Structures are given as structure tokens and as C-alpha cells.
Amino acid sequence: MKKNAIYIVYFLMLLGMNNTVFAQATQTISGKIYDDITKQPLTGAVIVLMGTDNANGTVSDIDGYFKLPAVPIGRQAIKVSYTGYEERMANDIVVTAGKEVSMNIGMQEALHKLNEITVTYNKAKDKTRTNNDMAQVSARSFNMDETKRYAGALGDPSRMAANFAGVVSGNDSRNDIVVRGNSPIGMLWQLEGLNIPNPNHYGSMTSTGGPVSMLNNNNIDKSDFMTSAFPAQYGNAVAGVFDMRLREGNRNKHEFVAQMGFNGFELGAEGPLGKKKNTTYLVNYRYSTLGVFQKMGIDFGAGSIVPYYQDLNFKVTSNINKRAKLTLFGMSGRSKIDFLGKDVDSTKIGIYGGNPYYDERNLFGTTVNGVAYEYRLSDKTVSKLTIGYSGTMQQYKADSLSTDDYKPYADAFGRLSSEKISGVWTINHKINAQNNLQGGVIYDQTSYKLLNKDIKPDGSEEVFINSKGNFGLMQAYTQWKHRYNDKLSSVAGVHAQYITLNNTMAAEPRASVRYAISSKKAISIGYGLHHQAQNIYTYFVQTNTTNGAVLTNKDLGFTRSHHTVLTYDWNINEHLRIKAEAYYQLLGNVPVEQRSTAFSVLNTGADFGTTDVDSLVNKGKGYNYGTEVTVERFFNKGYYFLITGSLFQSRYSGSDGVERNTAFNTGHVLNVLAGKEFKVGKKGSVLALNLKLSTVGGRYFTPLDLEQSKIEGKSVYKESLAFSQQQQAYFRTDLRIAYRKEYKKSTLEMAVDFQNLTNQQNIFANYYDAKTQKMVTTYQQNFFPMPTVRFTF
């Protein structure tokens, strides 16, 4: 309690600081206006600052760039208009003294040609409009501000997305997200159009999440998140899509950021390169602070188990000429964590759990680098070629400890690495205001080297996987959007994919229709057939026979998924929106064991470990269905709220033919978020309070067989009763208090995230303690305040 009091006193002291008085600070909003399909710059677009007494406006230049100076700090809105195009409103723009606001705004051509177009996009439409014009159902955009604003998000895109309808995250130790009952391994991650590996620290090859994101939210631009029936350009996924974009650096001046918080010590810089300012750079480096917290004696929920990590994000953009743009981008990170038995106290809460008779040392590394060349072939056509390299490495060494004297015995060793060369080519052509076409080809050439083995007390080894080689995955797609009139639009497309590993291929139709019932209400329906290749590790798990190792999983086909979704949107007014969706997903060709068991890959992908199951066949099935409601008030007049609720079922059948709950069938989830900003003084300073309440149905689990565990000296579970028992419901309250102090040319931001404010003991896992011969229950994160300080200048 003393440590918590120190945090609160420190925060209040900073809040009460009264520095040198400055005149009312102003800032510049700059950016580029372009056609959202062809990327053609729009010359002469009118940009006007809204809601001010003094008129303030500008026009875009011949290259589409604009610069709007003398914008008062605080939350602002601008309106963009251009002859022949629908107006765009950009609301809730956070303007601070320490950093210029940069905005790239795509405009949609109007169907009806008038001297001046008066059709407007209200706040709600603009807020949820995705970068991808083809996404009409189960999709929304998000930006950097949302990753910082929401209590409990900690600047992490995945943790932020867990607040959206249909998304569940009931595990405090990781940011894996469960979309509509699907395993996290069904997610697709893209960065600047490249398919990328798990972008998280401590992210194993067999998962899509981890404790800390490597994607730094200071670098994130407006990005898209999709949960069902996604457009044809996205393939090899059955659950959802994160289409991440990195923002460009400031083209007008150099700016810097220094930050310290839960995610690490950070330093960032951005600005123009060269006299002509045609090239910009953006770079951010981060190093873990959790080790520092540990030395201070602060328990952040992991006990004595301390994670260390560092990462680098960057983007360099060069406008070569009026038609061509070259972009270099990437991220790289390394992380390590040691689970040492001597540091585990099973009587204390710890988000990572741990076995007191087991030492495990883990090392991870991930890198993604890409270069993209975009060229406008004409005023109606734009093409883009992206070449990328990505690599992953995961190494672990484990020792068993004697229950008498903790003497170590070699127990396991593994090293899993992969490298991927990727090429993505896309072309967009706008026939006219009503029709636009898009197509593309994606190729990933992956090489791998996989080793995982157990070491027995007599020194012999049991090898689960020992393979190296390479294979290719080719994808191609085409899609067409037609706007019949101002009310009705449709998207139709087809995606195909082929894997050279076992010559499996699939073709997938996609379609959606949207109809505006009125100026405030719309209904949409979407369908998509989706396939996903199995995880690399799964293909090469070996079956050990007297004649040697056999790769019994290598010929596995794609998992298949049919998505159907119905959407209803009601924009009640400019700031309030209700959205409801109903969906059904049918899964087939799911890998299960040849022998009669309850195993299914639909239950994998939400932990640190691997699943060493061989002899799999594509004979399993499953289904997910549910309804979701979102009530959202966008930030206006100093406050916002977001309420999302989901009722769903997620079921599967293994090779034994028994229908069961999946590991992710929590049944319901409710999130209530709200925030209020208060102006402090007359110099633009702001105090913000953000609250989040979450409750999730308990996850189903397989009960421990205590008697058999005593016999074998390790945790043994009753597989015949797989996922038959349910944990208690998950409940958590988070509170974020933030203060922003404006200076003449800089901004100081301070915040404290009070995680699990009520200190709710949510169950993490159960395991068998060989020394006490009892079942031990570990719990997730306890109450902990997480401070953040950010300075931009």
C-alpha cells in the first residue's frame, strides 16, 4: 500500500505543478488530400477548421498537400471539400503544443456531379470507415489515440481491440484475442500490406499473441480490424484480420518523443530528409522497464519472473516524383524470460504461473523489413509492389528440479526458426465513380529449421520435431465494388491459395451488400469462404517408429470456414451510434487425431507452449454463432463511452464424434468504457479520467486427474472430460488517470493505469504440485498501478 500511495502522491505533485506562463499555444495541422481509390492527389481541396470564432482555412497544393497553421490546442475538427467529391469531416483531432498533427485524408468521388457537393459524412460514419473500401461488414478502423485512451489497453492494439464486440481476452498475461469463439491462431496480421509473423514479444511460432506488442503505438497510423467475412485480398485466415499501417514522419520539421511506462523506455524521432523535404523518416526504439520495477521491489503481477525485451520500429517515405513513392519500413525485437523454480511461490498470485520444480529459459526474436514502390499508372489506376523479409526465432531450455534438493536434470530443448521472403503486387483501377476494381498476387517463400525434444533421466531423447526445408504459399485475388446509387452498394470477389508443401489449393468466393434504409440507418449482409494452412510446427511433428521418424501431419489440408454475417447500423445523431451484428460460422476439415480422442486444433494457440500431436487428419468440425451489440458515443463535449456486448456459442467435435465446448466458449462478454476530460487552468492543460469494466463468462477446462497425477508425478488431465468444467466468470475493473500539460512548443503527458482496481482474483490455471501432492490454482494479475510519462517536443 505504501508503494501505491507513493505513486498517487507523485502523480498529484506533477498535476499541481505551475510552470512559466505562456500565451495560448497553437499548432499546425498538415497532411495530404487524395482520391481514396487511385491515390491521385486532389489539388485545390478546401480544408476548414470548424467550431472557432475566427475563420481559419487553407487549400491543398498541386501535390495534394495542405498546411493549416494557428490551430488552438485541444480537440478540434476540420471539414474537407472538393468539387465532385463527398465532403469529409475529421473530428476529435487531438492538437497539442508538442507535436504537429499529420493527416492523410482519402476522398470518395460522388455519384452525382454537381458544382458543389453537399453530401456530408457525419462523425459516426467517418469514425468507423475503414481504410479498405471493400470492407462492408464486421470491420472498423482505429488509431493511435484509442490505444492510449482506453483504460487497460496499455498502448497495445490487441488489448485495445479486446474492447470491441465479438472479441474476448480473458488472459491478463498475454494479448492473444479470441474473435467470435475462434482460436487466436486463426488471426492474420499484416503490416503495410505484408503478411507478417506474430508481432509480439515472447510470441511463439504456434501463437499470434504475447505479453507485449512489438508494434509501437507512437508509430501507428489509422488501421483496420476485421472479424468476419473479410474482403478477398485477405487470405489464409479463418478468424480475423489486423491490417496495420505505420504513419509517415513529419515533412515540415523534426520532432521527438521520450516516454517511460509499463511497455518500456522509449525514444523516438521523425522529420524531413533533404532540402526539398520529399523524404521523411520515423523511428522509435524501446527497452523494457520491468526489470527496473523488479529491482525497486514492485510486484507487477509476475512474481520474481522478469521479462526483458527491446524493439525498433521505423518508416522512411520518399516521394520520388508526382507519380511514384518509395517506402522502407520495418520492426525488429528480441526478448527473453526465465522461469526458475526457486522463484515460484505457489501461494502468491502470478500472471505467468510457474512450476516450483522446473527451470525454463526462453529466448525470442522477430524481424520484419519491407520496401514498397507505388506508382500511379494514370489518374484512374495505381499499382504497388512490396518486397519483404521476415524471420522468427524461439529457443528454450528446460531442467527438472529434484523435489528434495532442487538439483537440476536436463529435461527439454528446442529451437524453432523460420525465414520468409515475401512479394505482394496490387493494382487498383477506378472505372468511374460507381465502379472500382482491385486485384493482386501474394507469394511467401518460407524456410524453416525446427527442433524440439525431451531428455529423459537416463539421457535418452524423445524427439517431437526435427525438420528443415522450405515451401511456398501463393495467393491471388480479384474484387469489384459497385455503387448502384447513394443507398445501395455491393462487393464481389474471389480469393485463391496454393501451398507447395503438399500441393493443396482452394478457391474462395466473397460477397457483401450494403443498403442505406435512411440517412441514419443501414443494413448489410456478407458471406465469405475462408481457408487457412496449418501452423508450420503442426506439419512437421513426427511420429517415431522402429523404422525411424515419419511426418504423419505433412499432408494436412487447409482448415475451411464459411462466414455469414448480418449487420444493422443506426447513427442516432452526429455523435451516437448503435451497431448490431448476428453471425454464423461453420468450420470443417479441422485437424483431429486419427484415433478416437477429444483433440482439435481449434483449441490451440493461446499459450506459450507447443502442441506435439502427430497422426492428424482433416476430419474435425466446429461452429460458432452469436449476436453482438455496440453502443458508442464518440468523443464530444469532453466525454465518450463505449458499450459492447456479445452472446455466443463455440462448439467442436473431435475424432471421437462428441460435441463439446471449445476452450474459448465463454458464452458472453460485456465491456463498459467511459471517459471524461476536464480543462485545468487557461493554458490548455487537461485532466482525463477513463474507466473500464469487463466481465467474461468462465472458460471451459479439462479437469485434473489428481490420483493419476500422484502416480506419474506430474499434471495429468481427464481427457475424456475435455472442456466439461467451467471456471468462474472473469471480472476486472481498470481506471486510467491522465494529465496533459501544454507548454509553448512541447507537451508533457502523465498517466497512471490502475490495473484490476478491485484486486479481483481471476483464475489463471490449475496444476499438480508434486511436492505437496495437491492441486494448485494460480491467478491472473492482481492490482497494480502502471505509471507512464510522455514528453513530445
Side-chain angles (χ1 to χ4, degrees):
M1 291 301 294
K2 289 183 179 179
K3 295 185 181 70
N4 297 338
I6 291 173
Y7 275 116
I8 296 171
V9 171
Y10 173 69
F11 182 79
L12 292 175
M13 287 176 63
L14 291 173
L15 180 61
M17 292 174 62
N18 189 9
N19 294 277
T20 304
V21 177
F22 293 107
Q24 174 65 50
T26 62
Q27 188 54 275
T28 298
I29 297 178
S30 62
K32 187 175 184 178
I33 311 299
Y34 56 89
D35 183 288
D36 63 356
I37 303 300
T38 67
K39 312 305 178 186
Q40 171 76 11
L42 299 180
T43 303
V46 178
I47 301 96
V48 177
L49 182 66
M50 307 298 291
T52 59
D53 296 331
N54 298 322
N56 190 358
T58 188
V59 295
S60 57
D61 64 18
I62 192 171
D63 296 317
Y65 289 107
F66 72 92
K67 193 172 183 179
L68 185 65
V71 177
I73 60 174
R75 293 188 181 269
Q76 305 292 348
I78 61 173
K79 180 175 72 173
V80 183
S81 57
Y82 187 75
T83 302
Y85 282 72
E86 298 177 357
E87 276 186 358
R88 285 291 303 273
M89 288 290 296
N91 298 274
D92 193 24
I93 305 169
V94 180
V95 181
T96 65
K99 187 179 187 327
E100 285 191 358
V101 177
S102 181
M103 304 184 67
N104 294 324
I105 301 176
M107 304 280 285
Q108 180 171 265
E109 189 175 356
L111 292 180
H112 303 291
K113 301 295 182 182
L114 302 173
N115 292 331
E116 289 293 335
I117 300 301
T118 58
V119 178
T120 62
Y121 264 110
N122 64 27
K123 173 75 181 276
K125 290 182 180 178
D126 189 67
K127 174 69 176 180
T128 58
R129 180 178 178 179
T130 56
N131 292 325
N132 191 325
D133 186 57
M134 300 288 183
Q136 298 196 121
V137 296
S138 297
R140 69 168 292 159
S141 64
F142 63 91
N143 55 39
M144 177 179 68
D145 184 55
E146 289 172 290
T147 65
K148 295 195 305 179
R149 177 195 304 168
Y150 294 154
L154 300 176
D156 186 329
S158 292
R159 286 186 168 93
M160 176 215 62
N163 298 306
F164 299 155
V167 184
V168 177
S169 178
N171 186 339
D172 296 341
S173 68
R174 298 172 58 87
N175 61 12
D176 303 85
I177 57 173
V178 176
V179 177
R180 293 177 171 174
N182 286 281
S183 164
I185 62 174
M187 289 292 302
L188 169 67
W189 282 91
Q190 286 194 346
L191 181 65
E192 295 290 321
L194 278 182
N195 296 333
I196 64 172
N198 187 340
N200 294 282
H201 288 294
Y202 314 102
S204 69
M205 183 180 285
T206 57
S207 69
T208 58
V212 181
S213 174
M214 283 193 298
L215 287 166
N216 194 300
N217 72 320
N218 286 314
N219 293 10
I220 292 175
D221 201 356
K222 180 181 177 183
S223 301
D224 293 343
F225 178 66
M226 306 172 201
T227 57
S228 185
F230 22 93
Q233 74 187 75
Y234 304 108
N236 199 36
V238 296
V241 176
F242 262 115
D243 188 348
M244 304 296 300
R245 303 288 167 171
L246 300 177
R247 63 183 182 86
E248 297 179 3
N250 192 323
R251 66 188 298 267
N252 298 312
K253 66 176 184 178
H254 297 280
E255 295 179 324
F256 306 92
V257 59
Q259 180 171 315
M260 183 189 73
F262 172 77
N263 287 339
F265 290 99
E266 302 181 26
L267 292 174
E270 62 181 285
L273 294 173
K275 294 182 179 180
K276 295 183 179 180
K277 298 184 178 181
N278 290 332
T279 301
T280 65
Y281 73 93
L282 172 69
V283 61
N284 191 290
Y285 173 77
R286 175 173 57 184
Y287 188 84
S288 166
T289 57
L290 300 185
V292 177
F293 288 166
Q294 182 70 13
K295 293 182 183 300
M296 293 171 61
I298 301 172
D299 184 0
F300 53 86
S304 300
I305 302 168
V306 183
Y308 296 90
Y309 52 86
Q310 57 183 320
D311 54 59
L312 178 74
N313 288 204
F314 71 90
K315 184 174 183 179
V316 179
T317 305
S318 180
N319 293 293
I320 300 173
N321 54 46
K322 294 183 181 299
R323 290 188 177 272
K325 182 170 74 172
L326 183 69
T327 303
L328 304 174
F329 62 91
M331 68 173 186
S332 182
R334 289 181 66 84
S335 49
K336 71 170 186 172
I337 188 169
D338 295 336
F339 298 86
L340 303 181
K342 67 181 180 62
D343 295 328
V344 175
D345 184 348
S346 60
T347 65
K348 293 184 178 180
I349 299 172
I351 62 174
Y352 297 112
N355 187 331
Y357 309 110
Y358 205 70
D359 284 351
E360 185 175 346
R361 293 173 171 84
N362 297 271
L363 181 65
F364 301 82
T366 299
T367 186
V368 176
N369 294 290
V371 55
Y373 180 73
E374 182 179 280
Y375 187 79
R376 294 199 312 277
L377 301 172
S378 69
D379 291 348
K380 296 288 187 179
T381 307
V382 61
S383 180
K384 184 176 182 180
L385 176 64
T386 305
I387 304 297
Y389 166 83
S390 61
T392 67
M393 185 277 295
Q394 175 186 359
Q395 179 177 297
Y396 53 94
K397 179 180 180 298
D399 295 326
S400 292
L401 304 178
S402 168
T403 57
D404 297 322
D405 56 7
Y406 286 93
K407 182 179 179 179
Y409 297 90
D411 187 86
F413 177 80
R415 183 179 174 88
L416 312 174
S417 62
S418 69
E419 295 181 298
K420 182 168 65 176
I421 302 295
S422 302
V424 180
W425 174 75
T426 61
I427 187 167
N428 289 273
H429 177 67
K430 183 167 70 173
I431 301 172
N432 51 39
Q434 286 185 290
N435 298 278
N436 62 278
L437 298 171
Q438 184 184 83
V441 177
I442 305 165
Y443 186 78
D444 296 318
Q445 180 69 23
T446 301
S447 60
Y448 57 89
K449 191 173 182 179
L450 312 173
L451 172 64
N452 183 19
K453 62 183 180 180
D454 278 356
I455 304 168
K456 297 180 180 180
D458 60 4
S460 62
E461 298 179 348
E462 180 181 5
V463 179
F464 300 106
I465 188 168
N466 186 12
S467 292
K468 62 180 180 179
N470 61 80
F471 64 90
L473 176 65
M474 176 176 285
Q475 303 175 65
Y477 69 92
T478 183
Q479 51 190 352
W480 166 48
K481 182 172 184 178
H482 179 67
R483 300 165 64 199
Y484 300 89
N485 50 47
D486 288 332
K487 293 185 176 182
L488 182 64
S489 64
S490 64
V491 175
V494 62
H495 176 276
Q497 63 186 50
Y498 168 78
I499 188 169
T500 63
L501 181 66
N502 53 26
N503 298 319
T504 301
M505 65 182 301
E508 307 165 341
R510 315 277 177 87
S512 64
V513 177
R514 179 179 177 86
Y515 177 71
I517 302 171
S518 67
S519 61
K520 295 184 177 182
K521 300 176 181 179
I523 190 170
S524 307
I525 188 170
Y527 167 78
L529 176 60
H530 306 264
H531 290 82
Q532 184 176 28
Q534 308 309 320
N535 185 272
I536 298 176
Y537 189 95
T538 301
Y539 282 117
F540 299 104
V541 173
Q542 63 190 43
T543 302
N544 296 312
T545 70
T546 54
N547 296 322
V550 180
L551 300 180
T552 52
N553 292 347
K554 190 174 181 179
D555 291 330
L556 284 171
F558 300 140
T559 296
R560 182 184 66 241
S561 176
H562 294 272
H563 290 238
T564 304
V565 60
L566 179 66
T567 303
Y568 176 73
D569 274 301
W570 181 16
N571 300 322
I572 298 173
N573 57 42
E574 185 179 0
H575 307 292
L576 184 61
R577 170 182 183 244
I578 295 178
K579 180 178 181 179
E581 287 198 316
Y583 65 89
Y584 182 81
Q585 179 185 8
L586 181 63
L587 293 140
N589 285 358
V590 179
V592 295
E593 290 190 82
Q594 289 183 8
R595 61 190 181 93
S596 180
T597 70
F599 174 83
S600 171
V601 298
L602 295 182
N603 297 311
T604 63
D607 52 34
F608 294 96
T610 58
T611 303
D612 303 304
V613 181
D614 62 346
S615 303
L616 299 178
V617 292
N618 292 102
K619 294 184 178 181
K621 58 185 179 180
Y623 62 87
N624 303 308
Y625 66 87
T627 58
E628 304 164 356
V629 176
T630 298
V631 181
E632 186 168 12
R633 187 191 193 278
F634 304 113
F635 202 103
N636 183 57
K637 294 184 178 180
Y639 75 98
Y640 74 93
F641 62 77
L642 172 65
I643 304 171
T644 61
S646 304
L647 296 174
F648 67 97
Q649 284 292 306
S650 179
R651 306 276 290 178
Y652 84 100
S653 298
S655 55
D656 60 5
V658 178
E659 183 177 299
R660 295 179 172 88
N661 299 292
T662 69
F664 311 107
N665 187 22
T666 58
H668 71 270
V669 57
L670 176 66
N671 296 306
V672 179
L673 297 90
K676 172 69 176 176
E677 286 189 356
F678 304 89
K679 293 183 178 180
V680 180
K682 298 181 179 180
K683 306 178 189 68
S685 298
V686 172
L687 174 67
L689 303 177
N690 297 277
L691 180 69
K692 174 185 175 182
L693 302 174
S694 294
T695 180
V696 182
R699 287 190 175 182
Y700 285 91
F701 66 96
T702 302
L704 188 74
D705 189 332
L706 186 58
E707 295 305 316
Q708 192 62 34
S709 297
K710 291 179 180 179
I711 295 173
E712 298 189 24
K714 63 179 182 180
S715 297
V716 178
Y717 297 90
K718 299 178 180 179
E719 298 299 336
S720 62
L721 299 177
F723 308 109
S724 61
Q725 295 186 14
Q726 190 175 22
Q727 294 177 347
Q728 67 184 33
Y730 175 96
F731 178 80
R732 176 166 153 166
T733 303
D734 295 323
L735 174 66
R736 177 179 172 84
I737 302 176
Y739 175 67
R740 187 172 71 240
K741 177 71 176 178
E742 301 290 357
Y743 299 91
K744 188 175 182 179
K745 294 184 178 180
S746 60
T747 300
L748 177 65
E749 299 174 75
M750 299 164 287
V752 179
D753 277 273
F754 296 96
Q755 303 284 293
N756 194 6
L757 188 64
T758 62
N759 203 30
Q760 178 78 14
Q761 293 194 11
N762 294 302
I763 294 175
F764 180 79
N766 298 322
Y767 73 91
Y768 174 72
D769 187 324
K771 189 168 186 177
T772 63
Q773 295 189 334
K774 295 180 180 179
M775 183 181 75
V776 176
T777 300
T778 57
Y779 296 88
Q780 303 202 50
Q781 180 178 293
N782 54 350
F783 169 72
F784 182 72
M786 298 180 181
T788 301
V789 179
R790 184 173 186 262
F791 186 59
T792 54
F793 56 101

